[in-house]
């Protein structure tokens, strides 16, 4: 079974530029999450999708961050314009819906450096 | 609301020594508890989880954890560590409701020295 795929693995941009990250979850996983992991901290939830719908985006800075999950499969997270404090690893995770005991399956992350 | 506190940010230990990584949580509802491990430049992977039943749970790589409801703790232990256990360890809590979200602690860096 293929794991959670993310791209790009690394991205360096100037502040005020834009960037997009892509995630393909494990096949059949209805729930998809984007987490932000700043150096020295644990992952912080940005947004949670269940199929096509948003379950929780309360911590997403909506003035600059946006995310979508088309057809309930792949997802894209966009930042525009980027700020220095957005430098972090962006982790995508997925989980089953039926019989979901909450285990998350993570991708390897996309490391963003904003200069 | 729920929160997780990992009491030690760094734990250095010698190879073959025992180790305990401490985790306390707070939540207004019943929760599931997890420990994840993150190796350098990789995503997180599940070590073990507590859902219900026996308070002592065993995971991969010889790790185990004990759920203590009265102390709201879920400490991770291993009786004898290896160099390869050097990694970042995260404790997480999730409300046992449909679509409950997982909240993570800030991690403990375990460094195993020869």
């Amino acid at each position: 079974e293929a794991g959670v795929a993310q791209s790009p693995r690394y991205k360096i941009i100037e502040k005020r530029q834009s960037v997009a990250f892509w995630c393909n979850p494990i096949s059949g996983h209805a729930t998809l999450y984007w987490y932000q992991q700043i150096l020295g901290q644990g992952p912080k939830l940005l947004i949670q999708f269940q199929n096509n719908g948003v379950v929780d985006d309360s911590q997403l800075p909506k003035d600059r961050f946006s995310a979508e999950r088309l057809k309930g499969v792949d997802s894209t997270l966009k930042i525009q314009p980027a700020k220095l404090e957005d430098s972090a690893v962006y982790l995508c995770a997925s989980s089953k819906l039926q019989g979901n005991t909450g285990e998350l399956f993570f991708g390897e992350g996309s490391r963003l450096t904003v200069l | 609301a729920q929160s997780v506190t990992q009491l030690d940010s760094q734990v250095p230990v010698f190879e073959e020594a025992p180790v305990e990584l401490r985790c306390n949580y707070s939540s207004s509802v019943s929760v599931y508890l997890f420990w994840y491990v993150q190796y350098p430049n990789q995503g997180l992977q599940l070590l073990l989880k507590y859902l219900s039943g026996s308070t002592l749970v065993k995971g991969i790589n010889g790790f185990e954890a004990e759920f203590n409801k009265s102390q709201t703790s879920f400490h991770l232990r291993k009786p004898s560590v290896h160099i390869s256990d050097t990694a970042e360890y995260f404790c997480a809590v999730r409300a046992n409701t449909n679509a409950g979200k997982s909240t993570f602690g800030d991690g403990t860096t375990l460094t195993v020295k020869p």
Side-chain angles (χ1 to χ4, degrees):
Chain A
E1 179 181 70
V4 176
Q6 290 189 247
S7 67
R9 288 293 313 276
Y10 304 92
K11 188 75 175 179
I12 301 174
I13 62 173
E14 301 279 338
K15 60 183 179 183
R16 292 187 289 274
Q17 287 186 323
S18 63
V19 63
F21 302 111
W22 172 84
C23 172
N24 181 242
I26 292 173
S27 177
H29 280 194
T31 309
L32 184 147
Y33 312 78
W34 283 102
Y35 282 86
Q36 180 191 57
Q37 185 179 20
I38 293 173
L39 187 65
Q41 299 180 18
K44 300 290 192 294
L45 181 68
L46 290 175
I47 189 167
Q48 177 182 345
F49 292 95
Q50 190 160 297
N51 296 312
N52 287 341
V54 175
V55 174
D56 184 346
D57 64 355
S58 58
Q59 300 302 307
L60 187 73
K62 298 180 185 66
D63 57 332
R64 298 184 301 104
F65 286 65
S66 65
E68 61 181 5
R69 188 179 186 197
L70 299 176
K71 300 180 181 179
V73 182
D74 293 7
S75 178
T76 302
L77 176 70
K78 297 180 181 177
I79 307 174
Q80 181 179 16
K83 292 185 175 181
L84 296 177
E85 58 260 36
D86 298 331
S87 293
V89 177
Y90 291 87
L91 295 166
C92 179
S94 68
S95 66
K96 300 176 184 178
L97 179 57
Q98 294 301 324
N100 183 18
T101 55
E103 176 182 354
L104 302 180
F105 295 82
F106 284 86
E108 292 186 317
S110 294
R111 182 179 298 274
L112 174 65
T113 302
V114 182
L115 302 176
Chain B
Q2 55 201 31
S3 66
V4 177
T5 302
Q6 293 187 239
L7 299 166
D8 308 290
S9 60
Q10 298 193 42
V11 174
V13 64
F14 287 104
E15 192 174 19
E16 298 184 6
V19 71
E20 179 179 76
L21 307 184
R22 299 179 294 166
C23 172
N24 287 349
Y25 71 94
S26 66
S27 176
S28 55
V29 300
S30 295
V31 296
Y32 299 139
L33 294 157
F34 306 84
W35 276 98
Y36 289 84
V37 60
Q38 186 177 35
Y39 298 104
N41 297 315
Q42 295 185 27
L44 284 72
Q45 63 184 84
L46 184 71
L47 262 183
L48 49 79
K49 59 186 176 184
Y50 172 78
L51 305 179
S52 64
S54 173
T55 58
L56 182 64
V57 292
K58 295 186 183 298
I60 62 171
N61 300 339
F63 284 92
E64 63 182 31
E66 184 154 21
F67 169 58
N68 187 317
K69 187 174 182 179
S70 62
Q71 297 186 8
T72 61
S73 67
F74 191 55
H75 301 333
L76 181 70
R77 293 192 289 261
K78 186 171 183 178
S80 176
V81 295
H82 302 291
I83 298 289
S84 59
D85 292 324
T86 295
E88 188 85 11
Y89 292 80
F90 293 95
C91 181
V93 61
R94 177 186 182 275
N96 64 357
T97 57
N98 189 32
K101 70 177 185 182
S102 293
T103 301
F104 289 80
D106 282 336
T108 297
T109 301
L110 174 64
T111 303
V112 181
K113 300 178 288 185

